[in-house]
Amino acid sequence: MFKFDSQCNPRQISLTGVRAIVILALLNVKPCTFEEIKDFLIASNIVTREYSIDTIRIDLNTLKYIGCEISKAIKRTDNKYTLLSHPFQLVLSEEEVSTLAKIYKHIYKNLSINRLLEYDNLFEKLADTVNDEEIKEQLKGISVLKGLDNDLVKEILKYAKKHTKIKISYAAGNTKEVEYDITIEKLGFRSDKLYMYCFNHSINKRMFLNFSRLKKIICRSLTTDDVNSDDTVVEFILKNYKNHELDDSEQIISTDGDTAIVRGSYYTDFIALQRVLFFGADCVIESPSELKENLIEKLHSMRQQYD
Protein backbone atom coordinates (compact mmCIF):
# COMPACT_ATOMS: atom_id res chain seq x y z
CA MET A 1 0.00 0.00 0.00
CA PHE A 2 1.07 3.61 0.36
CA LYS A 3 4.29 4.43 2.15
CA PHE A 4 3.50 7.63 4.01
CA ASP A 5 6.03 10.06 5.39
CA SER A 6 5.76 11.56 8.87
CA GLN A 7 3.61 14.44 7.65
CA CYS A 8 1.06 12.22 5.90
CA ASN A 9 -1.86 10.76 7.90
CA PRO A 10 -3.26 7.71 6.07
CA ARG A 11 -6.53 7.93 8.00
CA GLN A 12 -7.36 11.12 6.12
CA ILE A 13 -7.06 9.43 2.73
CA SER A 14 -9.54 7.19 0.94
CA LEU A 15 -7.37 4.56 -0.73
CA THR A 16 -10.23 3.60 -3.02
CA GLY A 17 -10.56 7.25 -4.00
CA VAL A 18 -6.84 7.62 -4.72
CA ARG A 19 -6.84 4.40 -6.79
CA ALA A 20 -9.86 5.64 -8.70
CA ILE A 21 -8.15 8.98 -9.46
CA VAL A 22 -5.01 7.24 -10.72
CA ILE A 23 -7.00 4.75 -12.82
CA LEU A 24 -9.07 7.60 -14.27
CA ALA A 25 -5.93 9.47 -15.29
CA LEU A 26 -4.38 6.28 -16.67
CA LEU A 27 -7.42 5.44 -18.79
CA ASN A 28 -7.57 9.05 -19.90
CA VAL A 29 -4.12 8.50 -21.45
CA LYS A 30 -4.90 5.18 -23.16
CA PRO A 31 -7.04 2.02 -22.86
CA CYS A 32 -5.48 -0.50 -20.46
CA THR A 33 -5.83 -4.15 -19.53
CA PHE A 34 -6.32 -5.22 -15.92
CA GLU A 35 -2.68 -6.39 -15.87
CA GLU A 36 -1.44 -2.99 -17.13
CA ILE A 37 -3.45 -1.15 -14.47
CA LYS A 38 -2.29 -3.56 -11.76
CA ASP A 39 1.38 -3.32 -12.81
CA PHE A 40 1.20 0.48 -12.82
CA LEU A 41 -0.36 0.61 -9.33
CA ILE A 42 2.15 -1.92 -7.96
CA ALA A 43 5.14 -0.12 -9.46
CA SER A 44 3.79 3.09 -7.95
CA ASN A 45 3.56 1.48 -4.48
CA ILE A 46 -0.20 2.07 -4.38
CA VAL A 47 -1.29 -1.59 -4.17
CA THR A 48 0.28 -4.97 -3.46
CA ARG A 49 0.25 -8.02 -5.74
CA GLU A 50 -2.95 -9.16 -4.00
CA TYR A 51 -4.81 -6.47 -5.95
CA SER A 52 -7.49 -8.52 -7.71
CA ILE A 53 -9.97 -8.30 -10.55
CA ASP A 54 -12.70 -7.97 -7.90
CA THR A 55 -10.97 -4.91 -6.42
CA ILE A 56 -10.59 -3.21 -9.79
CA ARG A 57 -14.32 -3.74 -10.34
CA ILE A 58 -14.91 -1.79 -7.12
CA ASP A 59 -12.62 0.99 -8.35
CA LEU A 60 -14.27 1.07 -11.80
CA ASN A 61 -17.72 1.07 -10.21
CA THR A 62 -16.59 4.06 -8.13
CA LEU A 63 -15.76 5.89 -11.37
CA LYS A 64 -19.03 4.79 -13.00
CA TYR A 65 -20.96 5.96 -9.93
CA ILE A 66 -19.62 9.49 -10.42
CA GLY A 67 -20.58 9.44 -14.08
CA CYS A 68 -17.71 7.88 -16.04
CA GLU A 69 -18.54 5.61 -18.95
CA ILE A 70 -16.01 2.78 -19.18
CA SER A 71 -16.23 -0.11 -21.62
CA LYS A 72 -15.87 -3.71 -20.50
CA ALA A 73 -12.57 -5.51 -21.06
CA ILE A 74 -13.60 -8.04 -23.69
CA LYS A 75 -11.92 -9.83 -26.58
CA ARG A 76 -13.19 -7.27 -29.09
CA THR A 77 -11.31 -4.51 -27.20
CA ASP A 78 -8.16 -6.63 -26.68
CA ASN A 79 -9.29 -7.12 -23.06
CA LYS A 80 -8.74 -3.42 -22.39
CA TYR A 81 -10.85 -1.02 -20.37
CA THR A 82 -11.58 2.16 -22.33
CA LEU A 83 -12.69 5.46 -20.87
CA LEU A 84 -15.47 6.51 -23.24
CA SER A 85 -16.48 9.68 -21.44
CA HIS A 86 -16.57 11.46 -18.11
CA PRO A 87 -19.10 14.17 -17.26
CA PHE A 88 -17.03 16.46 -15.13
CA GLN A 89 -14.04 18.63 -14.59
CA LEU A 90 -12.13 16.89 -11.84
CA VAL A 91 -12.24 18.78 -8.54
CA LEU A 92 -9.17 18.32 -6.36
CA SER A 93 -8.39 20.21 -3.17
CA GLU A 94 -4.94 21.57 -2.34
CA GLU A 95 -4.72 18.94 0.41
CA GLU A 96 -5.40 16.12 -2.07
CA VAL A 97 -2.82 17.44 -4.54
CA SER A 98 -0.36 17.81 -1.68
CA THR A 99 -0.98 14.17 -0.72
CA LEU A 100 -0.33 13.03 -4.30
CA ALA A 101 2.87 15.09 -4.35
CA LYS A 102 4.09 13.59 -1.04
CA ILE A 103 3.43 10.04 -2.20
CA TYR A 104 5.15 10.71 -5.52
CA LYS A 105 8.21 12.28 -3.85
CA HIS A 106 8.46 9.26 -1.56
CA ILE A 107 8.46 6.68 -4.37
CA TYR A 108 9.90 8.34 -7.47
CA LYS A 109 13.52 7.30 -6.84
CA ASN A 110 12.43 3.66 -6.97
CA LEU A 111 10.72 4.08 -10.36
CA SER A 112 12.25 3.63 -13.79
CA ILE A 113 12.61 6.61 -16.11
CA ASN A 114 9.95 5.07 -18.38
CA ARG A 115 7.56 4.88 -15.44
CA LEU A 116 8.35 8.49 -14.50
CA LEU A 117 7.50 9.52 -18.07
CA GLU A 118 4.11 7.85 -17.62
CA TYR A 119 3.60 9.73 -14.36
CA ASP A 120 4.57 13.00 -16.05
CA ASN A 121 1.93 12.35 -18.70
CA LEU A 122 -0.56 11.34 -16.02
CA PHE A 123 -0.15 14.61 -14.09
CA GLU A 124 -0.54 16.57 -17.34
CA LYS A 125 -3.79 14.70 -18.04
CA LEU A 126 -5.02 15.34 -14.50
CA ALA A 127 -4.21 19.04 -14.90
CA ASP A 128 -6.29 19.11 -18.09
CA THR A 129 -9.34 17.88 -16.18
CA VAL A 130 -9.44 20.64 -13.52
CA ASN A 131 -10.67 24.20 -13.82
CA ASP A 132 -8.81 25.78 -10.92
CA GLU A 133 -5.66 27.35 -12.39
CA GLU A 134 -3.73 27.15 -9.12
CA ILE A 135 -4.51 23.43 -8.73
CA LYS A 136 -3.64 22.94 -12.41
CA GLU A 137 -0.18 24.47 -11.88
CA GLN A 138 0.39 22.45 -8.71
CA LEU A 139 -0.36 19.22 -10.59
CA LYS A 140 2.00 20.18 -13.41
CA GLY A 141 4.69 20.93 -10.83
CA ILE A 142 4.71 17.51 -9.15
CA SER A 143 6.79 15.58 -11.70
CA VAL A 144 10.59 15.57 -11.40
CA LEU A 145 10.62 15.65 -15.21
CA LYS A 146 8.70 18.92 -15.40
CA GLY A 147 10.14 21.34 -17.93
CA LEU A 148 12.05 18.63 -19.81
CA ASP A 149 11.44 17.51 -23.37
CA ASN A 150 9.97 14.03 -22.88
CA ASP A 151 10.65 13.05 -26.48
CA LEU A 152 14.31 13.92 -25.95
CA VAL A 153 14.34 11.88 -22.72
CA LYS A 154 12.94 8.87 -24.62
CA GLU A 155 15.55 9.29 -27.35
CA ILE A 156 18.41 9.46 -24.85
CA LEU A 157 17.03 6.37 -23.09
CA LYS A 158 17.14 4.51 -26.40
CA TYR A 159 20.78 5.48 -26.95
CA ALA A 160 21.70 4.59 -23.37
CA LYS A 161 20.16 1.13 -23.72
CA LYS A 162 22.18 0.40 -26.87
CA HIS A 163 25.34 2.29 -25.77
CA THR A 164 25.18 4.36 -28.95
CA LYS A 165 27.86 7.01 -29.34
CA ILE A 166 26.34 10.45 -29.97
CA LYS A 167 27.47 14.05 -30.45
CA ILE A 168 25.53 16.59 -28.39
CA SER A 169 25.34 20.33 -27.93
CA TYR A 170 25.50 21.18 -24.22
CA ALA A 171 25.31 24.41 -22.22
CA ALA A 172 28.27 24.07 -19.87
CA GLY A 173 27.81 26.57 -17.03
CA ASN A 174 27.86 30.21 -18.05
CA THR A 175 29.97 29.52 -21.12
CA LYS A 176 28.69 29.18 -24.65
CA GLU A 177 27.41 25.85 -25.89
CA VAL A 178 30.01 23.13 -26.33
CA GLU A 179 29.97 19.88 -28.29
CA TYR A 180 30.69 16.54 -26.62
CA ASP A 181 31.17 13.08 -28.12
CA ILE A 182 29.65 10.80 -25.49
CA THR A 183 28.31 7.34 -24.83
CA ILE A 184 25.49 7.44 -22.29
CA GLU A 185 25.48 4.56 -19.82
CA LYS A 186 22.42 5.48 -17.78
CA LEU A 187 20.09 8.25 -16.59
CA GLY A 188 19.73 8.99 -12.89
CA PHE A 189 18.87 11.64 -10.32
CA ARG A 190 21.00 13.83 -8.10
CA SER A 191 19.24 16.37 -5.85
CA ASP A 192 15.97 15.81 -7.74
CA LYS A 193 17.57 16.70 -11.09
CA LEU A 194 17.94 14.31 -14.01
CA TYR A 195 21.53 13.58 -15.11
CA MET A 196 23.14 11.69 -17.97
CA TYR A 197 25.91 9.41 -16.73
CA CYS A 198 28.23 9.03 -19.70
CA PHE A 199 31.71 8.42 -21.06
CA ASN A 200 33.14 11.56 -22.70
CA HIS A 201 35.32 10.48 -25.61
CA SER A 202 36.71 14.01 -25.96
CA ILE A 203 38.50 13.81 -22.61
CA ASN A 204 38.52 10.01 -22.31
CA LYS A 205 36.81 9.87 -18.92
CA ARG A 206 33.44 9.48 -17.25
CA MET A 207 31.28 12.46 -16.38
CA PHE A 208 27.67 13.27 -15.51
CA LEU A 209 25.73 16.01 -17.30
CA ASN A 210 22.61 17.89 -16.21
CA PHE A 211 19.87 16.82 -18.64
CA SER A 212 18.22 20.26 -18.56
CA ARG A 213 21.37 21.71 -20.20
CA LEU A 214 21.22 19.32 -23.14
CA LYS A 215 20.39 21.49 -26.15
CA LYS A 216 20.22 18.96 -28.94
CA ILE A 217 21.58 15.73 -30.36
CA ILE A 218 23.74 16.65 -33.34
CA CYS A 219 24.36 13.17 -34.71
CA ARG A 220 24.74 9.56 -33.69
CA SER A 221 26.98 6.68 -34.60
CA LEU A 222 25.57 3.79 -36.62
CA THR A 223 27.27 1.27 -34.34
CA THR A 224 27.18 0.58 -30.62
CA ASP A 225 30.15 1.46 -28.44
CA ASP A 226 31.67 -0.77 -25.77
CA VAL A 227 32.78 1.57 -23.00
CA ASN A 228 35.43 0.05 -20.76
CA SER A 229 35.36 2.26 -17.67
CA ASP A 230 35.14 1.27 -14.04
CA ASP A 231 33.51 2.76 -10.98
CA THR A 232 35.68 4.50 -8.39
CA VAL A 233 35.88 2.06 -5.47
CA VAL A 234 36.67 3.64 -2.10
CA GLU A 235 37.23 2.06 1.32
CA PHE A 236 36.86 4.40 4.27
CA ILE A 237 36.59 4.40 8.05
CA LEU A 238 33.22 5.68 9.21
CA LYS A 239 32.81 6.64 12.86
CA ASN A 240 29.34 6.65 14.46
CA TYR A 241 28.22 4.62 11.45
CA LYS A 242 24.80 3.88 12.96
CA ASN A 243 24.02 7.58 12.71
CA HIS A 244 24.63 7.58 8.94
CA GLU A 245 22.38 6.13 6.25
CA LEU A 246 24.37 4.31 3.59
CA ASP A 247 23.52 4.30 -0.11
CA ASP A 248 22.81 1.15 -2.11
CA SER A 249 26.31 1.45 -3.58
CA GLU A 250 27.92 1.20 -0.12
CA GLN A 251 28.41 -1.83 2.10
CA ILE A 252 29.90 -2.39 5.55
CA ILE A 253 32.98 -4.64 5.44
CA SER A 254 33.64 -4.84 9.18
CA THR A 255 32.77 -3.10 12.45
CA ASP A 256 34.53 -2.32 15.72
CA GLY A 257 32.27 -0.71 18.28
CA ASP A 258 30.71 2.39 16.70
CA THR A 259 33.25 2.41 13.84
CA ALA A 260 32.85 0.61 10.51
CA ILE A 261 34.95 -0.03 7.43
CA VAL A 262 32.78 0.80 4.41
CA ARG A 263 33.37 0.05 0.76
CA GLY A 264 31.61 2.32 -1.72
CA SER A 265 31.39 2.21 -5.50
CA TYR A 266 30.87 5.55 -7.28
CA TYR A 267 30.44 6.58 -10.89
CA THR A 268 33.22 9.20 -10.84
CA ASP A 269 36.00 10.43 -8.52
CA PHE A 270 34.03 13.66 -8.09
CA ILE A 271 30.95 11.82 -6.79
CA ALA A 272 33.18 9.77 -4.46
CA LEU A 273 34.76 12.93 -3.02
CA GLN A 274 31.34 14.53 -2.58
CA ARG A 275 30.16 11.50 -0.66
CA VAL A 276 33.24 11.45 1.61
CA LEU A 277 32.84 15.15 2.36
CA PHE A 278 29.16 14.55 3.15
CA PHE A 279 30.18 12.35 6.12
CA GLY A 280 32.41 15.14 7.43
CA ALA A 281 34.86 14.46 10.26
CA ASP A 282 33.37 10.98 10.80
CA CYS A 283 34.96 9.73 7.56
CA VAL A 284 38.61 8.92 6.76
CA ILE A 285 39.66 7.46 3.39
CA GLU A 286 41.65 4.25 3.57
CA SER A 287 42.07 3.66 -0.17
CA PRO A 288 42.81 4.45 -2.90
CA SER A 289 45.72 6.69 -1.93
CA GLU A 290 45.29 8.84 -5.08
CA LEU A 291 41.80 9.86 -3.99
CA LYS A 292 43.06 10.58 -0.47
CA GLU A 293 45.75 12.90 -1.86
CA ASN A 294 43.18 14.54 -4.13
CA LEU A 295 40.95 15.23 -1.14
CA ILE A 296 43.82 16.68 0.92
CA GLU A 297 44.78 18.93 -1.99
CA LYS A 298 41.20 20.19 -2.36
CA LEU A 299 40.87 20.84 1.38
CA HIS A 300 44.14 22.80 1.41
CA SER A 301 42.91 24.82 -1.57
CA MET A 302 39.62 25.56 0.20
CA ARG A 303 41.42 26.68 3.35
CA GLN A 304 43.64 29.08 1.39
CA GLN A 305 40.51 30.93 0.35
CA TYR A 306 40.07 31.96 4.00
CA ASP A 307 43.72 32.73 4.89
Side-chain angles (χ1 to χ4, degrees), residues 68-253:
C68 295
E69 184 181 358
I70 301 172
S71 72
K72 293 183 179 180
I74 57 178
K75 187 175 181 180
R76 182 167 54 82
T77 63
D78 294 327
N79 295 313
K80 292 183 177 182
Y81 297 100
T82 302
L83 179 64
L84 302 175
S85 67
H86 59 79
F88 57 87
Q89 289 283 332
L90 186 63
V91 178
L92 291 172
S93 67
E94 288 190 14
E95 182 179 1
E96 288 169 329
V97 175
S98 176
T99 297
L100 287 174
K102 288 176 181 177
I103 295 169
Y104 175 82
K105 187 173 180 62
H106 188 74
I107 67 174
Y108 88 87
K109 290 183 179 179
N110 297 320
L111 302 179
S112 68
I113 302 297
N114 281 322
R115 186 67 72 189
L116 290 173
L117 285 166
E118 291 181 358
Y119 259 101
D120 190 73
N121 193 14
L122 185 150
F123 291 133
E124 284 288 334
K125 292 290 185 179
L126 277 178
D128 289 341
T129 63
V130 300
N131 279 324
D132 189 300
E133 291 300 321
E134 187 173 341
I135 296 295
K136 189 185 293 287
E137 290 305 311
Q138 288 177 6
L139 285 168
K140 290 182 177 181
I142 293 176
S143 172
V144 289
L145 300 179
K146 60 181 178 292
L148 300 181
D149 183 339
N150 284 356
D151 289 335
L152 189 57
V153 174
K154 293 175 184 177
E155 190 172 3
I156 289 295
L157 273 177
K158 179 179 65 177
Y159 293 144
K161 183 178 181 180
K162 296 182 178 180
H163 281 190
T164 302
K165 184 178 178 181
I166 59 176
K167 182 185 289 290
I168 64 169
S169 176
Y170 183 79
N174 296 322
T175 64
K176 63 181 181 179
E177 292 182 23
V178 296
E179 293 183 1
Y180 289 140
D181 291 315
I182 62 172
T183 298
I184 299 173
E185 297 185 88
K186 63 179 180 178
L187 296 182
F189 287 91
R190 291 176 58 81
S191 303
D192 294 339
K193 293 180 180 179
L194 185 63
Y195 281 85
M196 300 176 288
Y197 291 77
C198 57
F199 186 84
N200 188 330
H201 296 275
S202 305
I203 57 177
N204 201 37
K205 66 183 294 187
R206 278 179 165 185
M207 64 190 308
F208 55 102
L209 303 172
N210 190 326
F211 194 96
S212 65
R213 293 187 176 184
L214 174 62
K215 296 303 179 182
K216 62 180 179 180
I217 300 171
I218 300 172
C219 62
R220 64 178 178 85
S221 172
L222 296 178
T223 59
T224 58
D225 183 54
D226 292 326
V227 178
N228 295 315
S229 57
D230 299 319
D231 286 351
T232 297
V233 178
V234 184
E235 288 195 6
F236 54 88
I237 300 171
L238 185 62
K239 300 176 182 178
N240 303 310
Y241 73 94
K242 293 182 180 179
N243 296 332
H244 298 285
E245 184 175 351
L246 298 181
D247 290 341
D248 292 339
S249 61
E250 298 164 337
Q251 59 178 327
I252 294 175
I253 305 303

Side-chain angles (χ1 to χ4, degrees), residues 266-279:
Y266 309 99
Y267 191 73
T268 66
D269 287 358
F270 179 80
I271 293 176
L273 286 174
Q274 277 194 324
R275 185 61 174 162
V276 168
L277 288 170
F278 173 81
F279 290 121

